[in-house]
Amino acid sequence: MATKYIRTPLTDAEVSDLRAGDQVFLSGVIYAARDTAHKRLIALLDQGAALPVDLKGQVIYYVGPAPAKPGQAIGSAGPTTSGRMDPYTPRLIGEAGLKGMIGKGSRSPEVKKAIVDHKAVYLAAVGGAGALIARSIKRAEVVAYPELGPEAILALEVDNFPATVINDCYGADLYEEAIARYACK
């Protein structure tokens, strides 16, 4: 396990250098989106239409942030359960070029396969630490679907956003490894 400092968008080389268990600090722009926005993105793919943001090499953070207090870029910004995006994620990875996702909880076999097949990565942010995570978000701007309120797609400018690699592009799964390591025998 290593500590890596990475700028977005992600390249294949950067993704290939990540291993399950690595601590990652992301800087640059990541996109906030949840299930309703994902459903709309898939509808656009179904229609052969352009997406409102180019996801090639990008990272999506599964978050619906709280409103910002005066002087802050964003309110509390803790991760949402990733499994809610699983029906949509393989297509966003395979067809739109998405390289990274940040959330909490395990991913489906289909998402894990897409991560391996298309050289992507799944990262976990610490649930319950939304106020702390928000400190790494320097700017938040709605870039699509403003009518969705907290579920709109946001461009988040981050500086050393903390996350842990859960699923790497080699098929490793930190959650499964930890269960095996600590299971009573």
Side-chain angles (χ1 to χ4, degrees), residues 35-109:
D35 29 344
T36 303
H38 277 69
K39 185 175 182 177
R40 288 189 181 189
L41 294 173
I42 294 302
L44 290 172
L45 289 177
D46 288 344
Q47 297 166 14
L51 299 181
V53 293
D54 182 3
L55 293 179
K56 187 171 174 59
Q58 299 299 337
V59 175
I60 290 181
Y61 180 29
Y62 304 141
V63 62
K69 293 179 182 173
Q72 295 179 333
I74 200 165
S76 183
T80 296
T81 302
S82 301
R84 295 195 348 234
M85 274 50 75
D86 282 0
Y88 316 109
T89 300
R91 288 192 61 198
L92 293 177
I93 293 171
E95 295 175 39
L98 182 66
K99 283 292 181 189
M101 294 84 37
I102 305 168
K104 67 179 181 183
S106 299
R107 303 312 299 265
S108 70

Side-chain angles (χ1 to χ4, degrees), residues 155-169:
L156 303 176
E157 184 181 325
V158 297
D159 184 36
N160 290 323
F161 182 103
T164 302
V165 176
I166 302 300
N167 299 110
D168 64 30
C169 66

Side-chain angles (χ1 to χ4, degrees), residues 10-32:
L10 302 179
T11 65
D12 282 350
E14 288 166 326
V15 171
S16 295
D17 190 43
L18 298 173
R19 300 292 189 277
D22 286 351
Q23 179 70 39
V24 176
F25 291 92
L26 292 170
S27 295
V29 173
I30 62 175
Y31 291 92

